[in-house]
Amino acid sequence: MERTLKRIADNCVLMHNGWNDRVEYEQAIKYHTTECDTLGGCDCPTKNEKRAREVKRPGLLEQLKEYQQNKDVNRNPKAARGAPKIKTPKMHPELNGYLTLDEITCDAYMTLDRVLEEAGRDRLWLAQSLKGVFQGLHYQVAQFSETHPDLVHEVDKALNRWINQAKTTLHMTVADAMFANMVCENCNGALAIAWDNSTDIRCIGSPSDPPCGHTYPRSEWITLYEKGKK
């Protein structure tokens, strides 16, 4: 349960606050010699050196809001009238991802309202912005983690769903490939990896249970493959 609560806390931070990315780049550095006349210009050697810095990324809610505001969605009257009736997104590619923030907002309030009611918590706590909800959600869930562990897992699973939905819209992830004959050794959940092999193999849970968070780095792939052959 402690691991689940930690994952809920981390995912809430991704939604409302964001994260830091390490950005590596090269910078041209000129090394002046003792004979160098810097005032008159010089031909001192220049070397490209690697540098790194931390870049703050805004929360997924803020990124989705910006994406929505800048998404080009044909604003002709006919298109506007037709938007609410859309049933087949593939017929309206210009709206792809445009409604993601609204979908997450509706699903979050509906899901958390039911969870708080079943847990016996004050549902009026949800009468605030969605950002405020994610800022305090970990505390709320921790209050009923011992009496309603099933509801904690439901919140954990919902958060994973919202984050994956947001990242897909923002093109932060690629499609996953699932492994047919291997399961997580920690919880027997399914295993998956990005199609371009850019991620570690990770547990994605099962239809009834959320992922446990276990991952397999490249150094363990051969061992995992050998286990799958047995």
Side-chain angles (χ1 to χ4, degrees):
M1 182 58 64
E2 183 178 349
R3 178 181 293 179
T4 302
L5 289 174
K6 175 64 166 55
R7 187 164 56 246
I8 289 176
D10 292 342
N11 285 339
C12 283
V13 170
L14 289 180
M15 294 298 287
H16 74 79
N17 186 50
W19 63 94
N20 290 327
D21 271 345
R22 178 182 172 86
V23 177
E24 296 183 352
Y25 60 98
E26 289 188 351
Q27 183 173 349
I29 304 297
K30 179 167 288 191
Y31 288 89
H32 297 284
T33 62
T34 55
E35 297 81 12
C36 172
D37 180 9
T38 55
L39 294 178
C42 65
D43 296 323
C44 294
T46 300
K47 181 179 179 182
N48 290 331
E49 295 190 354
K50 291 185 177 181
R51 296 285 189 269
R53 59 189 176 93
E54 297 286 330
V55 177
K56 177 67 168 61
R57 305 298 185 188
L60 292 174
L61 290 178
E62 183 177 342
Q63 292 190 48
L64 284 174
K65 184 176 181 180
E66 182 179 356
Y67 178 89
Q68 190 178 64
Q69 291 174 341
N70 292 280
K71 180 72 172 176
D72 183 12
V73 294
N74 191 346
R75 301 193 180 273
N76 292 319
K78 184 177 180 179
R81 287 197 302 271
K85 300 179 182 179
I86 290 174
K87 296 181 180 180
T88 54
K90 66 180 181 179
M91 302 298 292
H92 299 268
E94 73 278 6
L95 288 176
N96 183 30
Y98 180 74
L99 302 176
T100 299
L101 179 59
D102 298 326
E103 292 169 354
I104 292 177
T105 300
C106 292
D107 190 22
Y109 279 118
M110 181 178 65
T111 300
L112 296 177
D113 180 76
R114 178 176 52 78
V115 167
L116 291 181
E117 182 179 23
E118 294 182 12
R121 301 292 297 176
D122 185 4
R123 295 161 59 200
L124 288 177
W125 177 78
L126 288 172
Q128 57 180 316
S129 68
L130 189 58
K131 181 177 180 179
V133 168
F134 283 122
Q135 287 175 332
L137 182 58
H138 173 258
Y139 171 81
Q140 290 291 331
V141 173
Q143 302 312 301
F144 55 81
S145 60
E146 294 185 3
T147 57
H148 297 82
D150 56 322
L151 294 179
V152 175
H153 287 296
E154 185 171 347
V155 172
D156 181 35
K157 188 175 181 179
L159 271 167
N160 278 300
R161 181 173 70 251
W162 299 328
I163 287 177
N164 289 335
Q165 191 176 355
K167 287 185 174 181
T168 299
T169 294
L170 297 169
H171 305 292
M172 294 181 179
T173 58
V174 296
D176 286 338
M178 292 182 59
F179 292 86
N181 302 317
M182 290 182 285
V183 295
C184 175
E185 61 184 2
N186 190 47
C187 70
N188 289 324
L191 296 177
I193 188 174
W195 273 106
D196 60 357
N197 295 330
S198 60
T199 65
D200 291 338
I201 296 174
R202 65 191 185 284
C203 172
I204 58 173
S206 65
S208 59
D209 296 309
C212 67
H214 193 70
T215 60
Y216 299 86
R218 291 179 182 272
S219 59
E220 299 180 15
W221 288 3
I222 295 179
T223 302
L224 188 63
Y225 171 73
E226 294 295 336
K227 290 181 179 179
K229 292 175 59 179
K230 295 180 180 179

